[in-house]
């Protein structure tokens, strides 16, 4: 990764001519300038931008995989001179919620790489940042565990407790805990509980999918505060699959929709779609959908 920009502390003494020179350099290299390495910057909002850098190798016509860096605007002031500093974020995954809030996280690979450099444990926490530069609010241990319905002002984080309970924590995009629901995880040996919310209904109720190891049946569970509801689908009697949304909608008698993952959250998802269309490959890939099914002969328990 390219070296990060270093911000000058506000209390650091600086001569007026140096501050003026720094101002000129900053203005001269605002988003959109190119470097010898083929770097380009594209603003996502007025306080967030993404840069793509392609480093050419010695072999003709070859280059390394492009690296992405995200930077946020932090106004600085030295006496009577003010300028915009763009410190880089130490995250490789960024999700625009709206023009004032973003979610940031590190992929497992990037977190391990950074941990090896710093000598610390890998940090994949999903954090909320806002334009005002307040404290970073942790929402979820990993970007792979966060989901939400479309056009929502919150996100659900799925965690498994030490007592084998799957807990769904609902937090709004201001960091406020809205509600907590739970259900038994991996309750039966022949069923695997997914680590994500699979669907939502019109009342924004979350549904978690359980898949049989032998792919003969599956369950859909709606975690609740006091009691959870479950629905069973026998694949031997139907030609459906465990992830067949129309079938589950018929069984639950609810209008279901697939849950959104990190990279799809927020009201300004169109920003990302536009960027993906105009600049393919500039944005981080969405976390892969985990396939928890395992082909292992097993007999479903009697219901």
């Amino acid at each position: 990764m390219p070296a990060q920009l270093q911000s000058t502390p506000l209390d650091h003494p600086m001569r007026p001519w140096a501050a003026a020179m720094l101002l000129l350099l900053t203005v001269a290299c605002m988003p959109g300038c190119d470097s010898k390495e083929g770097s380009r910057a594209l603003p996502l909002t007025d306080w967030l931008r993404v840069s793509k850098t392609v480093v050419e190798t010695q072999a003709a016509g070859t280059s390394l995989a492009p690296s992405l860096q995200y930077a946020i605007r932090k106004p600085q002031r030295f006496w009577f001179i003010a300028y915009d500093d763009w410190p880089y974020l130490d995250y490789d995954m960024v999700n625009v919620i709206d023009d004032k809030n973003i979610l940031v996280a590190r992929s497992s690979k990037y977190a391990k790489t950074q941990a090896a450099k710093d000598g610390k444990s890998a940090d994949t926490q999903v954090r909320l940042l806002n334009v005002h530069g307040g404290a970073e609010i942790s929402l979820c241990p990993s970007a792979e565990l966060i989901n939400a319905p479309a056009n929502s002002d919150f996100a659900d984080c799925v965690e498994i407790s030490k007592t084998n309970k799957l807990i769904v924590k609902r937090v709004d995009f201001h960091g406020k805990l809205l509600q907590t629901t739970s259900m038994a995880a991996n309750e039966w040996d022949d069923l695997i509980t997914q680590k994500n919310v699979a669907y939502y209904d019109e009342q924004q109720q979350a549904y978690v999918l359980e898949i049989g190891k032998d792919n003969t049946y599956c369950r859909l569970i709606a975690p609740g505060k006091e009691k959870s509801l479950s629905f069973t689908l026998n694949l031997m009697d139907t030609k459906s699959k465990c992830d067949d949304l129309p079938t589950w909608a018929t069984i639950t008698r609810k209008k279901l929709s697939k849950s959104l993952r990190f990279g799809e959250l927020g009201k300004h998802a169109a920003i990302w779609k536009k960027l993906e269309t105009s600049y393919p490959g500039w944005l981080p890939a969405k976390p892969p959908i985990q396939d928890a099914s395992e082909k292992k002969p097993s007999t479903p328990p009697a219901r």
Side-chain angles (χ1 to χ4, degrees), residues 79-296:
W79 297 286
F80 60 92
I81 298 178
Y83 72 95
D84 289 327
D85 187 21
W86 287 86
Y88 283 106
L89 294 174
D90 189 20
Y91 299 92
D92 63 334
M93 302 178 68
V94 176
N95 192 113
V96 178
I97 297 302
D98 51 40
D99 58 347
K100 294 183 179 180
N101 299 280
I102 61 174
L103 295 181
V104 296
R106 298 183 182 91
S107 62
S108 298
K109 182 179 180 180
Y110 184 75
K112 291 179 181 178
T113 302
Q114 295 303 105
K117 294 180 180 178
D118 302 334
K120 301 179 180 178
S121 57
D123 181 6
T124 58
Q125 285 280 336
V126 178
R127 293 181 171 86
L128 176 69
L129 303 181
N130 60 63
V131 67
H132 303 295
E136 300 181 1
I137 301 175
S138 296
L139 298 186
C140 198
S142 170
E144 298 179 354
L145 302 177
I146 196 167
N147 298 100
N151 302 317
S152 64
D153 294 319
F154 64 84
D156 285 334
C157 178
V158 177
E159 303 180 41
I160 296 181
S161 68
K162 295 181 180 179
T163 57
N164 211 33
K165 284 281 188 179
L166 186 147
I167 302 174
V168 181
K169 296 181 179 179
R170 180 163 294 183
V171 184
D172 66 17
F173 292 134
H174 298 288
K176 180 181 178 181
L177 179 63
L178 301 179
Q179 69 177 35
T180 300
T181 57
S182 63
M183 57 173 275
N186 303 315
E187 186 177 10
W188 293 319
D189 294 337
D190 58 340
L191 277 178
I192 298 179
T193 304
Q194 302 292 284
K195 296 180 180 180
N196 293 93
V197 173
Y199 308 113
Y200 288 95
D201 61 22
E202 291 180 294
Q203 286 72 45
Q204 297 181 328
Q205 168 66 50
Y207 291 80
V208 178
L209 185 62
E210 291 188 326
I211 300 178
K213 293 182 179 180
D214 59 358
N215 288 322
T216 59
Y217 76 107
C218 39
R219 292 201 311 169
L220 191 65
I221 302 178
K225 294 182 178 180
E226 298 179 357
K227 184 179 180 180
S228 299
L229 299 177
S230 64
F231 306 88
T232 303
L233 174 61
N234 190 331
L235 302 181
M236 301 297 290
D237 299 334
T238 66
K239 295 182 180 179
S240 301
K241 296 182 179 180
C242 283
D243 59 352
D244 188 22
L245 189 151
T247 300
W248 284 120
T250 301
I251 294 175
T252 60
R253 297 182 180 180
K254 295 284 187 177
K255 185 177 180 180
L256 302 178
S257 60
K258 287 187 176 182
S259 64
L260 302 181
R261 292 177 177 270
F262 189 95
E264 301 174 322
L265 309 180
K267 296 181 178 180
H268 288 204
I271 295 178
W272 296 93
K273 293 179 180 178
K274 181 178 179 181
L275 291 178
E276 289 177 344
T277 302
S278 304
Y279 301 89
W282 274 42
L283 299 180
K286 299 171 184 175
I289 299 177
Q290 298 179 355
D291 183 9
S293 62
E294 298 179 6
K295 295 184 178 180
K296 182 179 180 180

Side-chain angles (χ1 to χ4, degrees), residues 1-2 50-53 66-70 91-92 281-285:
M1 298 287 287
V50 59
S51 300
K52 172 189 176 185
T53 301
S67 60
L68 300 175
Q69 279 190 311
Y70 300 88
Y91 299 92
D92 63 334
W282 274 42
L283 299 180

